[in-house]
Amino acid sequence: MNEQAILQSAEAWVKKQLMDEYSGHDWYHIRRVTLMAKAIGEQEKVDVFVVQIAALFHDLIDDKLVDDPESAKQQLIDWMEAAGVPSQKIDHTMDIINTISFKGGHGQSLATREAMVVQDADRLDALGAIGIARTFAYSGNKGQPIYDPELPIRETMTVEEYRHGKSTAINHFYEKLFKLKDLMNTETGKQLAKERHVFMEQFIERFLSEWNGDM
Ligand code: ADP
Ligand code: NI
């Protein structure tokens, strides 16, 4: 298969697996991240095939989604081998998806420009109007309140606390989302993150003013 055909086939395979997923990692998240990664990748002059295949696969090894991340990784490798992806590109793809997760600020440093592009695309989908919607959807799914003024914002936290500690949708903006604009890797990513950041600040300002009964 040529690269275009491999991408189409990967897309169909991923779509089938994520169709009934509502925790914020649904197929449309993957689609947006893949389109964004391709667009940024073209600006940054990187291997857009690897960028796209890594974007398509990036959440399939997440411990929030699969019970056994190790066997999920092996499945991806097997799929790429069967599709005829060259072994060096398989290694690169696996390296990207193994290293891009945020994990409460405990993320790893990235080895390649391609990894930086995919991470920026994934982070951009946590920002802006979509990011706001996903935060409230995730909170509802986990049974977190939209807001609780009594619950302090956590400045630092372990991976365990980030995943399972008590929080709210509004706290998540301070615990993660507002930090992302300064963590972007690429110039294109930085610019887009800045715009989405401003939009979220306006949203939070308005949310808090309505919360406090302002007219
Ligand atoms: P992680 O950064 O831990 O990999 P994800 O990116 O997988 O988290 O999270 C999926 C979506 O849910 C994102 O939009 C993210 O901002 C949101 N989200 C993650 N953790 C929380 C949380 N504790 N409260 C509200 N939203 C969250
Ligand atoms: Ni993602």
Side-chain angles (χ1 to χ4, degrees), residues 23-25 29 59 62 64 100-104 122 125-127 130-139 142 144 154 162-163 165 167-173 175-177 180:
S23 70
H25 304 92
H29 163 66
D59 273 336
D62 192 312
K64 292 200 259 10
I100 62 170
S101 167
F102 175 76
K103 296 213 169 69
D122 194 28
D125 209 53
L127 303 180
I130 295 275
I132 294 171
R134 290 179 73 216
T135 298
F136 288 96
Y138 182 101
S139 285
K142 295 284 176 233
Q144 290 187 158
R154 299 169 297 177
Y162 174 65
R163 285 276 202 258
S167 188
T168 70
I170 295 297
N171 283 17
H172 187 64
F173 286 81
E175 291 174 355
K176 173 180 173 188
L177 307 182
L180 292 181

mmCIF file of all heavy atoms in Angstrom, residues 23-25 29 59 62 64 100-104 122 125-127 130-139 142 144 154 162-163 165 167-173 175-177 180, ligand 1:
data_model
loop_
_atom_site.group_PDB
_atom_site.id
_atom_site.type_symbol
_atom_site.label_atom_id
_atom_site.label_comp_id
_atom_site.label_asym_id
_atom_site.label_seq_id
_atom_site.Cartn_x
_atom_site.Cartn_y
_atom_site.Cartn_z
ATOM 1 N N SER A 23 -15.438 9.610 26.442
ATOM 2 C CA SER A 23 -14.675 10.212 27.541
ATOM 3 C C SER A 23 -13.814 11.384 27.072
ATOM 4 O O SER A 23 -12.989 11.866 27.819
ATOM 5 C CB SER A 23 -13.782 9.153 28.177
ATOM 6 O OG SER A 23 -12.754 8.814 27.275
ATOM 7 N N GLY A 24 -14.008 11.829 25.844
ATOM 8 C CA GLY A 24 -13.175 12.921 25.338
ATOM 9 C C GLY A 24 -12.147 12.416 24.335
ATOM 10 O O GLY A 24 -11.332 13.178 23.836
ATOM 11 N N HIS A 25 -12.160 11.130 24.068
ATOM 12 C CA HIS A 25 -11.226 10.554 23.091
ATOM 13 C C HIS A 25 -11.978 9.891 21.947
ATOM 14 O O HIS A 25 -11.566 8.864 21.440
ATOM 15 C CB HIS A 25 -10.321 9.516 23.738
ATOM 16 C CG HIS A 25 -9.580 10.058 24.901
ATOM 17 N ND1 HIS A 25 -10.056 9.975 26.170
ATOM 18 C CD2 HIS A 25 -8.405 10.702 24.973
ATOM 19 C CE1 HIS A 25 -9.191 10.553 26.986
ATOM 20 N NE2 HIS A 25 -8.191 11.003 26.299
ATOM 21 N N HIS A 29 -12.426 13.630 18.032
ATOM 22 C CA HIS A 29 -11.190 14.197 18.605
ATOM 23 C C HIS A 29 -9.996 13.758 17.750
ATOM 24 O O HIS A 29 -9.149 14.566 17.365
ATOM 25 C CB HIS A 29 -11.014 13.742 20.060
ATOM 26 C CG HIS A 29 -9.618 13.911 20.597
ATOM 27 N ND1 HIS A 29 -9.028 15.142 20.776
ATOM 28 C CD2 HIS A 29 -8.674 12.994 20.980
ATOM 29 C CE1 HIS A 29 -7.793 14.971 21.257
ATOM 30 N NE2 HIS A 29 -7.548 13.677 21.382
ATOM 31 N N ASP A 59 -4.279 8.003 20.900
ATOM 32 C CA ASP A 59 -5.036 7.717 22.128
ATOM 33 C C ASP A 59 -5.329 6.229 22.316
ATOM 34 O O ASP A 59 -5.888 5.841 23.344
ATOM 35 C CB ASP A 59 -6.359 8.497 22.134
ATOM 36 C CG ASP A 59 -6.187 9.891 22.720
ATOM 37 O OD1 ASP A 59 -5.235 10.103 23.504
ATOM 38 O OD2 ASP A 59 -7.003 10.772 22.387
ATOM 39 N N ASP A 62 -3.858 4.774 25.535
ATOM 40 C CA ASP A 62 -4.080 5.538 26.763
ATOM 41 C C ASP A 62 -4.708 4.629 27.823
ATOM 42 O O ASP A 62 -5.681 3.931 27.550
ATOM 43 C CB ASP A 62 -5.017 6.709 26.435
ATOM 44 C CG ASP A 62 -5.074 7.721 27.558
ATOM 45 O OD1 ASP A 62 -5.253 7.309 28.716
ATOM 46 O OD2 ASP A 62 -4.939 8.918 27.265
ATOM 47 N N LYS A 64 -6.587 5.380 30.061
ATOM 48 C CA LYS A 64 -7.983 5.729 30.291
ATOM 49 C C LYS A 64 -8.901 4.965 29.323
ATOM 50 O O LYS A 64 -10.087 4.815 29.554
ATOM 51 C CB LYS A 64 -8.208 7.233 30.093
ATOM 52 C CG LYS A 64 -7.528 8.087 31.168
ATOM 53 C CD LYS A 64 -8.134 9.467 31.246
ATOM 54 C CE LYS A 64 -7.372 10.598 30.568
ATOM 55 N NZ LYS A 64 -6.249 10.330 29.708
ATOM 56 N N ILE A 100 3.990 11.667 24.159
ATOM 57 C CA ILE A 100 3.331 12.993 24.090
ATOM 58 C C ILE A 100 2.336 13.323 25.199
ATOM 59 O O ILE A 100 1.911 14.467 25.298
ATOM 60 C CB ILE A 100 2.633 13.232 22.722
ATOM 61 C CG1 ILE A 100 1.527 12.208 22.498
ATOM 62 C CG2 ILE A 100 3.651 13.248 21.587
ATOM 63 C CD1 ILE A 100 0.652 12.567 21.284
ATOM 64 N N SER A 101 1.970 12.362 26.047
ATOM 65 C CA SER A 101 0.902 12.628 27.020
ATOM 66 C C SER A 101 1.300 13.641 28.104
ATOM 67 O O SER A 101 2.444 13.684 28.540
ATOM 68 C CB SER A 101 0.481 11.299 27.649
ATOM 69 O OG SER A 101 -0.310 11.533 28.774
ATOM 70 N N PHE A 102 0.337 14.461 28.551
ATOM 71 C CA PHE A 102 0.583 15.553 29.511
ATOM 72 C C PHE A 102 0.789 15.036 30.940
ATOM 73 O O PHE A 102 1.718 15.440 31.634
ATOM 74 C CB PHE A 102 -0.597 16.544 29.465
ATOM 75 C CG PHE A 102 -0.549 17.653 30.478
ATOM 76 C CD1 PHE A 102 0.304 18.741 30.312
ATOM 77 C CD2 PHE A 102 -1.358 17.631 31.602
ATOM 78 C CE1 PHE A 102 0.342 19.774 31.253
ATOM 79 C CE2 PHE A 102 -1.337 18.668 32.540
ATOM 80 C CZ PHE A 102 -0.486 19.737 32.361
ATOM 81 N N LYS A 103 -0.078 14.167 31.385
ATOM 82 C CA LYS A 103 0.013 13.522 32.711
ATOM 83 C C LYS A 103 0.299 14.483 33.864
ATOM 84 O O LYS A 103 1.229 14.273 34.652
ATOM 85 C CB LYS A 103 1.093 12.439 32.697
ATOM 86 C CG LYS A 103 0.800 11.282 31.742
ATOM 87 C CD LYS A 103 1.346 9.977 32.270
ATOM 88 C CE LYS A 103 0.853 8.783 31.481
ATOM 89 N NZ LYS A 103 1.425 8.748 30.118
ATOM 90 N N GLY A 104 -0.501 15.548 33.941
ATOM 91 C CA GLY A 104 -0.370 16.456 35.072
ATOM 92 C C GLY A 104 0.951 17.189 35.130
ATOM 93 O O GLY A 104 1.381 17.620 36.194
ATOM 94 N N ASP A 122 -2.625 17.772 19.565
ATOM 95 C CA ASP A 122 -3.435 17.181 20.635
ATOM 96 C C ASP A 122 -3.761 18.243 21.686
ATOM 97 O O ASP A 122 -4.890 18.336 22.171
ATOM 98 C CB ASP A 122 -2.661 16.010 21.266
ATOM 99 C CG ASP A 122 -3.541 15.124 22.135
ATOM 100 O OD1 ASP A 122 -4.768 15.031 21.876
ATOM 101 O OD2 ASP A 122 -3.006 14.508 23.084
ATOM 102 N N ASP A 125 -6.476 20.752 20.794
ATOM 103 C CA ASP A 125 -7.846 20.236 20.909
ATOM 104 C C ASP A 125 -8.345 20.271 22.357
ATOM 105 O O ASP A 125 -9.517 20.032 22.609
ATOM 106 C CB ASP A 125 -7.940 18.814 20.346
ATOM 107 C CG ASP A 125 -9.338 18.512 19.804
ATOM 108 O OD1 ASP A 125 -9.828 19.305 18.967
ATOM 109 O OD2 ASP A 125 -9.957 17.528 20.249
ATOM 110 N N ALA A 126 -7.444 20.549 23.305
ATOM 111 C CA ALA A 126 -7.866 20.745 24.695
ATOM 112 C C ALA A 126 -8.165 22.218 24.955
ATOM 113 O O ALA A 126 -8.592 22.584 26.046
ATOM 114 C CB ALA A 126 -6.785 20.243 25.649
ATOM 115 N N LEU A 127 -7.919 23.088 23.959
ATOM 116 C CA LEU A 127 -8.095 24.534 24.119
ATOM 117 C C LEU A 127 -9.265 25.057 23.284
ATOM 118 O O LEU A 127 -9.823 24.342 22.462
ATOM 119 C CB LEU A 127 -6.805 25.262 23.710
ATOM 120 C CG LEU A 127 -5.525 24.847 24.461
ATOM 121 C CD1 LEU A 127 -4.326 25.649 23.951
ATOM 122 C CD2 LEU A 127 -5.700 25.058 25.957
ATOM 123 N N ILE A 130 -13.724 24.010 21.597
ATOM 124 C CA ILE A 130 -13.753 22.547 21.694
ATOM 125 C C ILE A 130 -13.183 22.115 23.045
ATOM 126 O O ILE A 130 -13.720 21.240 23.719
ATOM 127 C CB ILE A 130 -12.926 21.907 20.549
ATOM 128 C CG1 ILE A 130 -13.557 22.206 19.191
ATOM 129 C CG2 ILE A 130 -12.727 20.410 20.784
ATOM 130 C CD1 ILE A 130 -14.653 21.282 18.755
ATOM 131 N N GLY A 131 -12.100 22.737 23.445
ATOM 132 C CA GLY A 131 -11.470 22.398 24.720
ATOM 133 C C GLY A 131 -12.420 22.606 25.893
ATOM 134 O O GLY A 131 -12.483 21.782 26.814
ATOM 135 N N ILE A 132 -13.171 23.708 25.857
ATOM 136 C CA ILE A 132 -14.152 23.985 26.911
ATOM 137 C C ILE A 132 -15.202 22.870 26.921
ATOM 138 O O ILE A 132 -15.505 22.282 27.965
ATOM 139 C CB ILE A 132 -14.824 25.365 26.691
ATOM 140 C CG1 ILE A 132 -13.794 26.487 26.865
ATOM 141 C CG2 ILE A 132 -16.000 25.543 27.655
ATOM 142 C CD1 ILE A 132 -14.302 27.878 26.456
ATOM 143 N N ALA A 133 -15.730 22.546 25.755
ATOM 144 C CA ALA A 133 -16.766 21.504 25.663
ATOM 145 C C ALA A 133 -16.227 20.169 26.178
ATOM 146 O O ALA A 133 -16.892 19.471 26.950
ATOM 147 C CB ALA A 133 -17.240 21.368 24.214
ATOM 148 N N ARG A 134 -15.009 19.820 25.801
ATOM 149 C CA ARG A 134 -14.445 18.531 26.221
ATOM 150 C C ARG A 134 -14.232 18.484 27.733
ATOM 151 O O ARG A 134 -14.417 17.447 28.361
ATOM 152 C CB ARG A 134 -13.114 18.264 25.503
ATOM 153 C CG ARG A 134 -13.277 17.974 24.025
ATOM 154 C CD ARG A 134 -11.929 17.741 23.363
ATOM 155 N NE ARG A 134 -11.346 16.460 23.727
ATOM 156 C CZ ARG A 134 -10.045 16.246 23.906
ATOM 157 N NH1 ARG A 134 -9.194 17.246 23.797
ATOM 158 N NH2 ARG A 134 -9.607 15.050 24.197
ATOM 159 N N THR A 135 -13.827 19.613 28.303
ATOM 160 C CA THR A 135 -13.598 19.651 29.748
ATOM 161 C C THR A 135 -14.893 19.362 30.520
ATOM 162 O O THR A 135 -14.888 18.580 31.471
ATOM 163 C CB THR A 135 -13.028 21.026 30.153
ATOM 164 O OG1 THR A 135 -11.773 21.178 29.489
ATOM 165 C CG2 THR A 135 -12.828 21.138 31.646
ATOM 166 N N PHE A 136 -15.990 19.975 30.088
ATOM 167 C CA PHE A 136 -17.250 19.730 30.784
ATOM 168 C C PHE A 136 -17.777 18.321 30.509
ATOM 169 O O PHE A 136 -18.353 17.691 31.400
ATOM 170 C CB PHE A 136 -18.274 20.825 30.436
ATOM 171 C CG PHE A 136 -17.913 22.130 31.094
ATOM 172 C CD1 PHE A 136 -17.193 23.103 30.421
ATOM 173 C CD2 PHE A 136 -18.245 22.351 32.426
ATOM 174 C CE1 PHE A 136 -16.814 24.283 31.045
ATOM 175 C CE2 PHE A 136 -17.874 23.538 33.063
ATOM 176 C CZ PHE A 136 -17.155 24.498 32.371
ATOM 177 N N ALA A 137 -17.549 17.824 29.310
ATOM 178 C CA ALA A 137 -17.968 16.448 29.001
ATOM 179 C C ALA A 137 -17.183 15.452 29.862
ATOM 180 O O ALA A 137 -17.756 14.535 30.455
ATOM 181 C CB ALA A 137 -17.760 16.153 27.513
ATOM 182 N N TYR A 138 -15.872 15.663 29.958
ATOM 183 C CA TYR A 138 -15.018 14.780 30.760
ATOM 184 C C TYR A 138 -15.462 14.828 32.219
ATOM 185 O O TYR A 138 -15.589 13.793 32.881
ATOM 186 C CB TYR A 138 -13.561 15.229 30.624
ATOM 187 C CG TYR A 138 -12.560 14.371 31.372
ATOM 188 C CD1 TYR A 138 -11.800 13.419 30.701
ATOM 189 C CD2 TYR A 138 -12.351 14.533 32.747
ATOM 190 C CE1 TYR A 138 -10.858 12.643 31.379
ATOM 191 C CE2 TYR A 138 -11.414 13.764 33.437
ATOM 192 C CZ TYR A 138 -10.673 12.819 32.745
ATOM 193 O OH TYR A 138 -9.759 12.064 33.420
ATOM 194 N N SER A 139 -15.705 16.027 32.725
ATOM 195 C CA SER A 139 -16.120 16.178 34.114
ATOM 196 C C SER A 139 -17.434 15.454 34.384
ATOM 197 O O SER A 139 -17.558 14.761 35.394
ATOM 198 C CB SER A 139 -16.275 17.662 34.465
ATOM 199 O OG SER A 139 -15.006 18.226 34.613
ATOM 200 N N LYS A 142 -16.938 11.803 34.555
ATOM 201 C CA LYS A 142 -16.262 11.350 35.780
ATOM 202 C C LYS A 142 -17.052 11.685 37.043
ATOM 203 O O LYS A 142 -16.589 11.426 38.155
ATOM 204 C CB LYS A 142 -14.884 12.025 35.907
ATOM 205 C CG LYS A 142 -13.918 11.634 34.842
ATOM 206 C CD LYS A 142 -13.353 10.228 35.099
ATOM 207 C CE LYS A 142 -12.466 9.819 33.962
ATOM 208 N NZ LYS A 142 -12.747 8.579 33.342
ATOM 209 N N GLN A 144 -17.561 14.732 38.171
ATOM 210 C CA GLN A 144 -17.039 15.941 38.824
ATOM 211 C C GLN A 144 -18.029 17.088 38.663
ATOM 212 O O GLN A 144 -18.645 17.219 37.610
ATOM 213 C CB GLN A 144 -15.757 16.415 38.123
ATOM 214 C CG GLN A 144 -14.560 15.557 38.306
ATOM 215 C CD GLN A 144 -13.303 16.195 37.706
ATOM 216 O OE1 GLN A 144 -12.231 15.857 38.102
ATOM 217 N NE2 GLN A 144 -13.432 17.101 36.744
ATOM 218 N N ARG A 154 -5.170 22.890 42.591
ATOM 219 C CA ARG A 154 -3.930 22.189 42.963
ATOM 220 C C ARG A 154 -2.771 22.730 42.134
ATOM 221 O O ARG A 154 -2.817 22.715 40.917
ATOM 222 C CB ARG A 154 -4.103 20.680 42.733
ATOM 223 C CG ARG A 154 -5.232 20.084 43.579
ATOM 224 C CD ARG A 154 -5.569 18.682 43.150
ATOM 225 N NE ARG A 154 -6.084 18.626 41.784
ATOM 226 C CZ ARG A 154 -6.391 17.496 41.151
ATOM 227 N NH1 ARG A 154 -6.224 16.337 41.740
ATOM 228 N NH2 ARG A 154 -6.864 17.532 39.922
ATOM 229 N N TYR A 162 -3.434 13.731 39.731
ATOM 230 C CA TYR A 162 -3.977 14.381 38.536
ATOM 231 C C TYR A 162 -5.121 13.543 37.960
ATOM 232 O O TYR A 162 -6.163 14.073 37.584
ATOM 233 C CB TYR A 162 -2.877 14.568 37.486
ATOM 234 C CG TYR A 162 -3.386 15.094 36.162
ATOM 235 C CD1 TYR A 162 -3.941 16.364 36.069
ATOM 236 C CD2 TYR A 162 -3.329 14.306 35.009
ATOM 237 C CE1 TYR A 162 -4.420 16.833 34.866
ATOM 238 C CE2 TYR A 162 -3.798 14.779 33.801
ATOM 239 C CZ TYR A 162 -4.345 16.046 33.731
ATOM 240 O OH TYR A 162 -4.823 16.513 32.528
ATOM 241 N N ARG A 163 -4.927 12.232 37.919
ATOM 242 C CA ARG A 163 -5.933 11.359 37.331
ATOM 243 C C ARG A 163 -7.127 11.102 38.251
ATOM 244 O O ARG A 163 -8.251 11.050 37.798
ATOM 245 C CB ARG A 163 -5.306 9.994 37.002
ATOM 246 C CG ARG A 163 -4.431 10.002 35.784
ATOM 247 C CD ARG A 163 -5.238 9.825 34.505
ATOM 248 N NE ARG A 163 -4.363 9.329 33.453
ATOM 249 C CZ ARG A 163 -3.865 10.079 32.490
ATOM 250 N NH1 ARG A 163 -4.193 11.351 32.415
ATOM 251 N NH2 ARG A 163 -3.045 9.553 31.609
ATOM 252 N N GLY A 165 -7.528 12.436 41.763
ATOM 253 C CA GLY A 165 -7.853 13.363 42.841
ATOM 254 C C GLY A 165 -9.154 14.099 42.552
ATOM 255 O O GLY A 165 -9.665 14.057 41.433
ATOM 256 N N SER A 167 -11.458 17.148 41.685
ATOM 257 C CA SER A 167 -11.298 18.415 40.985
ATOM 258 C C SER A 167 -12.652 18.837 40.419
ATOM 259 O O SER A 167 -13.663 18.194 40.674
ATOM 260 C CB SER A 167 -10.248 18.268 39.879
ATOM 261 O OG SER A 167 -9.950 19.531 39.327
ATOM 262 N N THR A 168 -12.645 19.920 39.684
ATOM 263 C CA THR A 168 -13.862 20.355 39.012
ATOM 264 C C THR A 168 -13.491 20.771 37.591
ATOM 265 O O THR A 168 -12.301 20.958 37.281
ATOM 266 C CB THR A 168 -14.494 21.592 39.701
ATOM 267 O OG1 THR A 168 -13.642 22.724 39.460
ATOM 268 C CG2 THR A 168 -14.669 21.377 41.203
ATOM 269 N N ALA A 169 -14.513 20.964 36.774
ATOM 270 C CA ALA A 169 -14.242 21.409 35.406
ATOM 271 C C ALA A 169 -13.508 22.752 35.428
ATOM 272 O O ALA A 169 -12.507 22.933 34.718
ATOM 273 C CB ALA A 169 -15.549 21.509 34.618
ATOM 274 N N ILE A 170 -13.974 23.677 36.251
ATOM 275 C CA ILE A 170 -13.334 25.002 36.287
ATOM 276 C C ILE A 170 -11.895 24.891 36.794
ATOM 277 O O ILE A 170 -10.979 25.510 36.236
ATOM 278 C CB ILE A 170 -14.162 25.994 37.145
ATOM 279 C CG1 ILE A 170 -15.531 26.245 36.492
ATOM 280 C CG2 ILE A 170 -13.411 27.315 37.348
ATOM 281 C CD1 ILE A 170 -15.514 26.898 35.118
ATOM 282 N N ASN A 171 -11.674 24.086 37.834
ATOM 283 C CA ASN A 171 -10.290 23.920 38.315
ATOM 284 C C ASN A 171 -9.367 23.384 37.225
ATOM 285 O O ASN A 171 -8.187 23.733 37.181
ATOM 286 C CB ASN A 171 -10.248 22.975 39.523
ATOM 287 C CG ASN A 171 -10.709 23.669 40.801
ATOM 288 O OD1 ASN A 171 -11.337 24.730 40.748
ATOM 289 N ND2 ASN A 171 -10.417 23.068 41.940
ATOM 290 N N HIS A 172 -9.901 22.536 36.347
ATOM 291 C CA HIS A 172 -9.066 21.966 35.289
ATOM 292 C C HIS A 172 -8.460 23.037 34.369
ATOM 293 O O HIS A 172 -7.356 22.866 33.847
ATOM 294 C CB HIS A 172 -9.882 20.954 34.480
ATOM 295 C CG HIS A 172 -9.066 20.195 33.482
ATOM 296 N ND1 HIS A 172 -8.054 19.342 33.839
ATOM 297 C CD2 HIS A 172 -9.096 20.182 32.122
ATOM 298 C CE1 HIS A 172 -7.507 18.825 32.746
ATOM 299 N NE2 HIS A 172 -8.114 19.319 31.698
ATOM 300 N N PHE A 173 -9.167 24.153 34.211
ATOM 301 C CA PHE A 173 -8.597 25.244 33.407
ATOM 302 C C PHE A 173 -7.289 25.726 34.032
ATOM 303 O O PHE A 173 -6.309 25.999 33.329
ATOM 304 C CB PHE A 173 -9.573 26.423 33.292
ATOM 305 C CG PHE A 173 -10.724 26.144 32.362
ATOM 306 C CD1 PHE A 173 -11.828 25.414 32.776
ATOM 307 C CD2 PHE A 173 -10.675 26.594 31.051
ATOM 308 C CE1 PHE A 173 -12.881 25.143 31.915
ATOM 309 C CE2 PHE A 173 -11.725 26.327 30.170
ATOM 310 C CZ PHE A 173 -12.826 25.597 30.607
ATOM 311 N N GLU A 175 -5.485 24.006 36.396
ATOM 312 C CA GLU A 175 -4.542 22.912 36.654
ATOM 313 C C GLU A 175 -3.861 22.432 35.367
ATOM 314 O O GLU A 175 -2.788 21.857 35.405
ATOM 315 C CB GLU A 175 -5.270 21.764 37.368
ATOM 316 C CG GLU A 175 -5.652 22.172 38.792
ATOM 317 C CD GLU A 175 -6.497 21.149 39.541
ATOM 318 O OE1 GLU A 175 -6.894 20.125 38.945
ATOM 319 O OE2 GLU A 175 -6.759 21.387 40.738
ATOM 320 N N LYS A 176 -4.502 22.657 34.237
ATOM 321 C CA LYS A 176 -3.878 22.240 32.983
ATOM 322 C C LYS A 176 -4.025 23.260 31.843
ATOM 323 O O LYS A 176 -3.030 23.718 31.300
ATOM 324 C CB LYS A 176 -4.464 20.893 32.528
ATOM 325 C CG LYS A 176 -3.991 20.455 31.148
ATOM 326 C CD LYS A 176 -4.577 19.120 30.715
ATOM 327 C CE LYS A 176 -4.238 18.791 29.281
ATOM 328 N NZ LYS A 176 -4.956 17.600 28.788
ATOM 329 N N LEU A 177 -5.276 23.603 31.509
ATOM 330 C CA LEU A 177 -5.500 24.270 30.221
ATOM 331 C C LEU A 177 -4.770 25.599 30.066
ATOM 332 O O LEU A 177 -4.194 25.879 29.008
ATOM 333 C CB LEU A 177 -7.001 24.423 29.971
ATOM 334 C CG LEU A 177 -7.792 23.109 30.082
ATOM 335 C CD1 LEU A 177 -9.264 23.329 29.773
ATOM 336 C CD2 LEU A 177 -7.213 22.046 29.147
ATOM 337 N N LEU A 180 -1.055 25.407 29.015
ATOM 338 C CA LEU A 180 -0.621 24.804 27.749
ATOM 339 C C LEU A 180 0.006 25.793 26.769
ATOM 340 O O LEU A 180 0.916 25.434 26.031
ATOM 341 C CB LEU A 180 -1.787 24.054 27.093
ATOM 342 C CG LEU A 180 -2.261 22.787 27.825
ATOM 343 C CD1 LEU A 180 -3.402 22.128 27.059
ATOM 344 C CD2 LEU A 180 -1.112 21.800 28.006
HETATM 345 P P1 ADP B 1 -4.285 13.826 29.652
HETATM 346 O O1 ADP B 1 -3.721 15.185 29.476
HETATM 347 O O2 ADP B 1 -4.238 13.335 31.060
HETATM 348 O O3 ADP B 1 -3.803 12.807 28.655
HETATM 349 P P2 ADP B 1 -6.547 13.950 28.021
HETATM 350 O O4 ADP B 1 -5.920 14.910 27.084
HETATM 351 O O5 ADP B 1 -6.615 12.529 27.663
HETATM 352 O O6 ADP B 1 -5.822 14.045 29.413
HETATM 353 O O7 ADP B 1 -7.991 14.460 28.417
HETATM 354 C C1 ADP B 1 -9.078 14.422 27.533
HETATM 355 C C2 ADP B 1 -9.916 15.685 27.655
HETATM 356 O O8 ADP B 1 -10.477 15.792 28.972
HETATM 357 C C3 ADP B 1 -9.117 16.966 27.466
HETATM 358 O O9 ADP B 1 -9.898 17.951 26.837
HETATM 359 C C4 ADP B 1 -8.765 17.377 28.866
HETATM 360 O O10 ADP B 1 -8.510 18.752 28.990
HETATM 361 C C5 ADP B 1 -9.989 16.929 29.628
HETATM 362 N N1 ADP B 1 -9.634 16.557 30.979
HETATM 363 C C6 ADP B 1 -8.610 15.766 31.375
HETATM 364 N N2 ADP B 1 -8.564 15.669 32.726
HETATM 365 C C7 ADP B 1 -9.607 16.416 33.183
HETATM 366 C C8 ADP B 1 -10.121 16.740 34.482
HETATM 367 N N3 ADP B 1 -9.564 16.260 35.592
HETATM 368 N N4 ADP B 1 -11.210 17.531 34.554
HETATM 369 C C9 ADP B 1 -11.793 18.019 33.440
HETATM 370 N N5 ADP B 1 -11.373 17.769 32.200
HETATM 371 C C10 ADP B 1 -10.299 16.977 32.051
#
